[in-house]
Amino acid sequence: MKAPYIMTPGPTQVHEKVRMAMAKEATNSDLDPSFFEFYKESCNNLKKLFNTKNDTLILGGEGILGLEAACASLIEPGDRVLIIDNGIFGKGFADFAKIYGGQVEVYKDDYRKAIDIDKLEEFLEKDHDFKLATLVHCETPSGITNPVDEIAPLLNKYGIISVVDSVSSIGGETIKVDEWAMDIVISGSQKCISSPPGLTFISISEKAWDAILNRETPIASYYCNLAIWKDWYENKWFPYTPPTNHIYGNDIALERIIEEGTYVERHKKIAEGVRYAIQSSGLELYPLNGYSNTVSTILIPEGVDFNKIFDRMLKEHNIMIAGAFDYLADKVIRIGHMGENCYEEKLYKTLKALDETLKFLGVNIKGNIHEHFVGKLS
Ligand SMILES: *Cc1c(COP(=O)(O)O)cnc(C)c1O
């Protein structure tokens, strides 16, 4: 049985060169001097994608590890934490903040729109006494990209440390960590970077390091403690054994992106094509603005069951698309056009299968979804 063609918003397809690199001879990362240099070079490749000079680490664990590690390392009991919330991941930060004793204030905005910067500014004018604020660059379940280029500088103006979940945006959308004064930025391997799940990437500004290293109370975790990574290179010491072969593969994935150079334009063009095709065929996108260039979220037409769409896509076409969870469960389908998924022929194949599937299930589609897509791109 041929492996399904995964067109989900993470995990994404993994290029053969990445898979081959993962099969390299393993080493002992604690003793092999060349591995320290390799790890450092790989972090430098990440810095190029993040557009930062800040310390950047590769940690062995899912994107969630990065989110929790940022909260564990920064938050002391009683610290005021602003949770900027316009979606499932945004809201989820509150749970981590509470675990580590944060006094949480949730700033909630419209779940179908990008964060409104003017409203946020109005709120902050009245109350800005927060140690840190958390936000999400791309809300993957709803397909909305927030204007971090405006939000991060605004937080910085008030001296608030920003913690940004960029798990599903780096490698697909523009991000300028230094220029936008972002403090902690988190990404992961299995979205736009397109290596298998299991790695977190995290960049840490001087301001964030200061807060982490000058706490009054100890950090209540070991695996989530970023302070133990501060001088890993000078000390030639990893706090725990890194997943060496995963990092080999991931580094090839990073090099593919860096060599291409124009990945942001590629994502934009494909995403615009997908949105145009969806809307031209009479279907409705979930977001009302702030459309993500890495994932499209489409409302399931009235009377159609998500499982029927998923099953037919998989059984008849061998293509896997995603639904969503939480309040979006059974309400939307999602196509991940991120990383290795984000090429014209792959979206053509996916939209053609979706066209057949929805028509089979009795949905009234104007024209052909895949042909609208091609029309827009040509
Ligand atoms: C995928 C993702 C994560 C990591 O979640 P996992 O459950 O580990 O896949 C975090 N934040 C966002 C916005 C994501 O899309």
Side-chain angles (χ1 to χ4, degrees), residues 62-64 67 89 136 138 140 165 167-168 190-191:
E62 248 307 297
I64 294 294
L67 309 185
F89 281 102
V136 178
C138 172
T140 328
D165 173 346
V167 174
S168 64
Q190 98 256 30
K191 305 282 168 82

Side-chain angles (χ1 to χ4, degrees), residues 268-297:
K268 187 165 182 286
K269 184 175 165 202
I270 295 285
E272 281 171 357
V274 171
R275 293 195 290 267
Y276 176 83
I278 292 303
Q279 292 178 312
S280 303
S281 60
L283 296 166
E284 201 184 332
L285 294 164
Y286 176 76
L288 300 174
N289 66 27
Y291 308 101
S292 162
N293 286 331
T294 65
V295 50
S296 285
T297 303

